[in-house]
Amino acid sequence: MPSKRDVVFPPDRHALYELHRYSPAIRSNGFLFVSGQVGSRKDGSAEPDLATQVRKAFANLNAILAAAGSSFEDVVDTTIFMVDPDAKFETIWEVAAEYWGEAPYPTVTAIGVTWLSGFDFEIKVIAKLP
Protein backbone atom coordinates (compact mmCIF):
# COMPACT_ATOMS: atom_id res chain seq x y z
CA MET A 1 0.00 0.00 0.00
CA PRO A 2 1.49 3.39 -0.97
CA SER A 3 2.32 5.75 1.88
CA LYS A 4 0.71 9.17 2.18
CA ARG A 5 2.81 12.12 1.16
CA ASP A 6 4.15 14.22 4.04
CA VAL A 7 3.17 17.63 2.64
CA VAL A 8 4.49 20.92 4.02
CA PHE A 9 2.35 24.03 3.59
CA PRO A 10 3.48 27.55 4.47
CA PRO A 11 1.21 29.36 6.96
CA ASP A 12 0.00 31.99 4.44
CA ARG A 13 -0.14 30.04 1.21
CA HIS A 14 -1.04 31.56 -2.14
CA ALA A 15 -3.75 30.42 -4.56
CA LEU A 16 -1.48 28.63 -7.07
CA TYR A 17 -1.26 25.37 -5.08
CA GLU A 18 -4.99 24.71 -5.39
CA LEU A 19 -5.33 26.27 -8.84
CA HIS A 20 -2.63 24.05 -10.39
CA ARG A 21 -3.01 21.07 -8.01
CA TYR A 22 0.45 20.66 -6.54
CA SER A 23 2.02 20.49 -3.09
CA PRO A 24 4.43 23.22 -1.95
CA ALA A 25 6.87 20.64 -0.54
CA ILE A 26 7.16 16.98 0.40
CA ARG A 27 9.28 15.58 3.25
CA SER A 28 10.90 12.24 2.40
CA ASN A 29 13.85 10.28 3.81
CA GLY A 30 15.41 13.26 5.60
CA PHE A 31 15.03 15.65 2.67
CA LEU A 32 12.58 18.36 1.73
CA PHE A 33 11.63 18.54 -1.95
CA VAL A 34 10.23 22.01 -2.65
CA SER A 35 8.14 22.72 -5.74
CA GLY A 36 9.12 25.62 -7.96
CA GLN A 37 8.33 28.91 -6.25
CA VAL A 38 7.44 32.05 -8.16
CA GLY A 39 6.96 35.68 -7.19
CA SER A 40 3.22 35.46 -6.81
CA ARG A 41 0.86 37.62 -4.91
CA LYS A 42 -1.58 35.92 -2.55
CA ASP A 43 -4.16 35.64 -5.37
CA GLY A 44 -1.61 33.80 -7.54
CA SER A 45 -0.94 36.66 -9.96
CA ALA A 46 2.59 37.59 -10.98
CA GLU A 47 4.40 40.50 -9.37
CA PRO A 48 5.17 42.76 -12.39
CA ASP A 49 8.53 44.20 -11.23
CA LEU A 50 11.31 41.63 -11.83
CA ALA A 51 13.37 42.36 -8.70
CA THR A 52 10.24 42.32 -6.53
CA GLN A 53 9.09 39.11 -8.24
CA VAL A 54 12.39 37.39 -7.36
CA ARG A 55 12.17 38.63 -3.76
CA LYS A 56 8.61 37.30 -3.49
CA ALA A 57 9.72 33.94 -4.88
CA PHE A 58 12.42 33.74 -2.20
CA ALA A 59 9.90 34.84 0.46
CA ASN A 60 7.55 32.04 -0.65
CA LEU A 61 10.47 29.57 -0.64
CA ASN A 62 11.67 30.68 2.79
CA ALA A 63 8.14 30.36 4.23
CA ILE A 64 8.00 26.73 3.10
CA LEU A 65 11.48 25.99 4.42
CA ALA A 66 10.57 27.55 7.79
CA ALA A 67 7.31 25.55 7.95
CA ALA A 68 9.45 22.41 7.68
CA GLY A 69 11.85 23.62 10.41
CA SER A 70 14.54 24.38 7.84
CA SER A 71 16.20 27.38 6.18
CA PHE A 72 18.05 28.23 2.99
CA GLU A 73 21.28 27.17 4.75
CA ASP A 74 19.97 23.58 4.56
CA VAL A 75 19.47 23.74 0.78
CA VAL A 76 21.76 21.35 -1.09
CA ASP A 77 20.42 21.60 -4.65
CA THR A 78 18.80 24.50 -6.50
CA THR A 79 17.21 24.76 -9.91
CA ILE A 80 16.40 28.21 -11.29
CA PHE A 81 14.20 28.83 -14.33
CA MET A 82 14.11 32.21 -16.05
CA VAL A 83 12.40 33.67 -19.07
CA ASP A 84 14.77 35.63 -21.36
CA PRO A 85 17.96 35.03 -19.34
CA ASP A 86 20.05 37.25 -21.65
CA ALA A 87 18.03 40.27 -20.54
CA LYS A 88 17.14 39.24 -16.98
CA PHE A 89 19.96 37.13 -15.51
CA GLU A 90 21.94 40.02 -14.00
CA THR A 91 18.93 41.42 -12.14
CA ILE A 92 17.86 37.97 -10.98
CA TRP A 93 21.32 36.99 -9.79
CA GLU A 94 21.85 40.32 -8.00
CA VAL A 95 18.62 39.86 -6.03
CA ALA A 96 19.28 36.14 -5.41
CA ALA A 97 22.61 37.07 -3.79
CA GLU A 98 20.62 38.78 -1.01
CA TYR A 99 19.32 35.33 0.01
CA TRP A 100 22.16 33.03 -1.00
CA GLY A 101 24.25 33.30 2.18
CA GLU A 102 27.92 32.48 2.54
CA ALA A 103 30.00 29.68 1.02
CA PRO A 104 29.75 26.78 0.76
CA TYR A 105 26.86 27.40 -1.61
CA PRO A 106 24.27 24.86 -2.76
CA THR A 107 24.57 23.37 -6.21
CA VAL A 108 22.68 25.32 -8.85
CA THR A 109 21.34 24.68 -12.33
CA ALA A 110 20.00 27.70 -14.20
CA ILE A 111 17.72 27.08 -17.16
CA GLY A 112 16.41 29.56 -19.71
CA VAL A 113 12.79 28.89 -20.66
CA THR A 114 10.20 30.46 -22.92
CA TRP A 115 7.21 30.23 -20.59
CA LEU A 116 6.51 30.27 -16.84
CA SER A 117 2.76 30.95 -16.82
CA GLY A 118 3.20 34.73 -16.68
CA PHE A 119 6.23 34.72 -14.38
CA ASP A 120 9.87 35.53 -15.23
CA PHE A 121 11.59 33.53 -12.46
CA GLU A 122 11.06 30.26 -10.62
CA ILE A 123 13.21 28.50 -8.03
CA LYS A 124 12.95 24.92 -6.77
CA VAL A 125 15.18 23.33 -4.16
CA ILE A 126 16.04 20.19 -2.26
CA ALA A 127 17.02 20.72 1.36
CA LYS A 128 18.51 18.32 3.93
CA LEU A 129 16.23 18.45 6.94
CA PRO A 130 17.98 19.28 10.23
Side-chain angles (χ1 to χ4, degrees):
M1 177 187 315
S3 63
K4 275 195 121 166
R5 294 181 180 104
D6 184 7
V7 178
V8 176
F9 281 101
D12 191 26
R13 62 190 190 202
H14 54 69
L16 292 177
Y17 303 125
E18 285 76 24
L19 180 65
H20 296 293
R21 297 179 305 237
Y22 67 98
S23 295
I26 303 285
R27 273 186 282 248
S28 181
N29 294 322
F31 288 93
L32 183 69
F33 298 85
V34 182
S35 291
Q37 297 300 303
V38 292
S40 63
R41 298 173 174 160
K42 186 158 178 61
D43 67 0
S45 64
E47 178 62 47
D49 176 71
L50 178 59
T52 304
Q53 188 180 128
V54 174
R55 285 185 182 97
K56 280 192 160 304
F58 271 95
N60 291 335
L61 171 62
N62 286 334
I64 293 167
L65 291 168
S70 188
S71 74
F72 195 80
E73 290 181 7
D74 300 309
V75 170
V76 295
D77 186 60
T78 308
T79 306
I80 293 173
F81 304 91
M82 60 190 96
V83 174
D84 194 9
D86 286 339
K88 297 177 181 167
F89 178 80
E90 291 303 321
T91 299
I92 289 169
W93 210 240
E94 184 177 305
V95 174
E98 298 171 14
Y99 300 90
W100 216 253
E102 301 296 320
Y105 305 110
T107 63
V108 63
T109 301
I111 303 167
V113 298
T114 60
W115 182 83
L116 286 173
S117 191
F119 295 89
D120 296 308
F121 172 82
E122 182 172 336
I123 181 170
K124 72 180 297 313
V125 303
I126 300 170
K128 176 85 169 111
L129 291 168

